Amino acid sequence: MMESDTKAGPVRVLVTGGSGMLGKAIEHVVMNEGLKREGEEWIFLSSKDADLRDLGQTKAVFKKHHPTHVIHLAAKVGGLYEHMRDNLLFLSDNLRINDNVLQTAHDTGVTKVVSCLSSCIFPDKITYPIDETMIHNGLPHDSNFGYSHAKRLIDIQNRGYFEQYGHRYTSVIPTNVFGPHDNFNIDKAHVMSALIGKTYKAKMEGTPVTVCGTGAARRLFTLSWDVGRLIVWVLREYDEIQPIILSVGEEDEISIKDAVEMIAEALDFKGEIKYDTSLSDGQLRKTTSIAKLRRYRPDFTFTPVKEGIKMTCDWFVANYNSARI
């Protein structure tokens, strides 16, 4: 897709949410792994550049950079209890952000938009493995219904822009992403990064690590750099409007207990690991199917989770003073 665009004129890719974990992963693979092509310009926005909840600021930043392509990662996100307390705010803020970005992309003639959804959009009551056709088959979990519905509506908007204008706006659904530049705050982070932050803190203080639940829940953990590589591929090659799941395969699913042990090894934590079985494990499985991804990219090799954990732990220790904790 972008090869022909490059011949027609310069390609300018605007990445919203560019300072977050996935934005930094895309920046890494584009700038450091040779994925940047001749004639391309990549712009990574942060919330300091524009408040995308504000239509005027959104229009101004598009006018400043004149993007031909957009990777839309920006979102209002928070920890579980923040979502439970402020579902309406997560709904309204994310609706504004997404509508402003997609409407401004349309108004300014952007060729393609790839938006990032979340695995939390899937129905709470569902059969496994989950695939892309199941997004709208039931209500999402009550705990973050505002955020989930706002993300689901991107898929509806993409369909609308295609049917009415023929626009190639699409979306990706990464699952359980972790990696450098994530939020490692124990209360606000996703499970892998929270466990890394918690284990490192316990090592520094000489205290045990307490894990919520039994450790039996199983997840598909995917390194951010792998997701970044695949998002660049989606931008260039994937022509469907329907979303595509970006995740390691079912054979790479591990338990939370496995993850904790890999983190302890990576951080050389020798202390006690306790499991607080009075706390919920949450959903025991959230297995997703990557049959669609495998049809398109049978050649793609994901980073083994143990290797990804070691790399992320090394980055966290090296950048502890500037990391989000």
Side-chain angles (χ1 to χ4, degrees):
M1 169 118 190
M2 288 173 66
E3 285 179 349
S4 59
D5 292 339
T6 304
K7 290 169 188 170
V11 170
R12 290 179 298 277
V13 184
L14 183 72
V15 182
T16 73
S19 62
M21 173 181 61
L22 265 182
K24 287 292 187 184
I26 293 170
E27 184 176 13
H28 170 80
V29 300
V30 167
M31 300 304 182
N32 299 332
E33 293 188 357
L35 291 189
K36 184 173 185 283
R37 291 177 175 171
E38 187 178 346
E40 287 180 357
E41 180 184 356
W42 287 74
I43 303 112
F44 295 87
L45 291 185
S46 77
S47 56
K48 294 174 184 174
D49 297 301
D51 181 348
L52 298 175
R53 294 172 299 181
D54 181 274
L55 181 58
Q57 291 190 42
T58 307
K59 287 181 173 179
V61 83
F62 272 68
K63 185 177 181 181
K64 177 181 178 181
H65 295 292
H66 301 286
T68 59
H69 298 71
V70 173
I71 296 175
H72 176 38
L73 309 176
K76 178 178 174 61
V77 296
L80 173 64
Y81 295 106
E82 287 180 281
H83 279 280
M84 291 173 70
R85 187 173 61 246
D86 277 328
N87 262 301
L88 180 59
L89 184 63
F90 282 95
L91 174 68
S92 57
D93 276 3
N94 283 299
L95 285 175
R96 286 191 189 98
I97 291 168
N98 300 333
D99 195 44
N100 289 345
V101 168
L102 292 176
Q103 180 65 47
T104 306
H106 164 70
D107 290 344
T108 57
V110 167
T111 301
K112 186 169 181 180
V113 180
V114 178
S115 297
C116 189
L117 309 186
S118 166
S119 57
C120 73
I121 67 175
F122 288 108
D124 185 33
K125 306 290 190 289
I126 200 166
T127 55
Y128 296 97
I130 303 165
D131 68 38
E132 294 87 351
T133 67
M134 300 178 179
I135 293 172
H136 304 288
N137 287 1
L139 293 173
H141 195 273
D142 277 347
S143 62
N144 57 0
F145 71 84
Y147 179 80
S148 300
H149 278 296
K151 285 291 189 181
R152 278 188 183 190
L153 282 168
I154 292 176
D155 178 48
I156 302 299
Q157 288 174 292
N158 288 344
R159 290 192 210 175
Y161 277 110
F162 178 70
E163 287 187 10
Q164 192 153 344
Y165 301 108
H167 291 342
R168 291 284 171 185
Y169 297 172
T170 189
S171 56
V172 297
I173 309 171
T175 67
N176 296 296
V177 185
F178 72 100
H181 299 280
D182 199 1
N183 186 340
F184 294 86
N185 181 285
I186 292 168
D187 298 316
K188 296 184 177 182
H190 297 117
V191 60
M192 179 71 83
S193 297
L195 288 169
I196 290 171
K198 184 180 283 192
T199 305
Y200 188 69
K201 185 171 186 279
K203 179 182 177 180
M204 294 298 98
E205 295 176 355
T207 56
V209 169
T210 302
V211 180
C212 300
T214 67
R218 301 181 69 79
R219 295 290 183 267
L220 296 165
F221 291 108
T222 311
L223 184 66
S224 59
W225 288 7
D226 289 334
V227 177
R229 294 171 187 122
L230 286 169
I231 289 175
V232 174
W233 165 76
V234 167
L235 187 73
R236 290 174 171 155
E237 308 292 343
Y238 179 74
D239 269 347
E240 289 188 39
I241 306 306
Q242 288 72 27
I244 185 167
I245 291 169
L246 306 181
S247 170
V248 296
E250 198 172 340
E251 68 279 5
D252 293 316
E253 190 174 57
I254 64 169
S255 70
I256 299 299
K257 186 173 185 292
D258 292 333
V260 171
E261 290 172 357
M262 291 178 191
I263 291 166
E265 182 181 338
L267 291 172
D268 196 29
F269 175 74
K270 306 293 189 187
E272 184 183 2
I273 299 172
K274 296 179 176 180
Y275 291 87
D276 186 346
T277 56
S278 70
L279 296 172
S280 170
D281 282 320
Q283 288 178 277
L284 285 177
R285 295 184 73 200
K286 289 185 177 180
T287 314
T288 49
S289 166
I290 60 164
K292 186 185 213 178
L293 177 63
R294 286 289 177 228
R295 285 199 304 274
Y296 277 102
R297 291 297 307 271
D299 58 317
F300 190 85
T301 302
F302 285 94
T303 305
V305 66
K306 188 172 184 179
E307 185 182 321
I309 287 173
K310 179 70 170 82
M311 189 192 84
T312 304
C313 287
D314 288 350
W315 181 91
F316 178 66
V317 172
N319 294 276
Y320 183 76
N321 290 331
S322 58
R324 290 184 289 168
I325 54 175

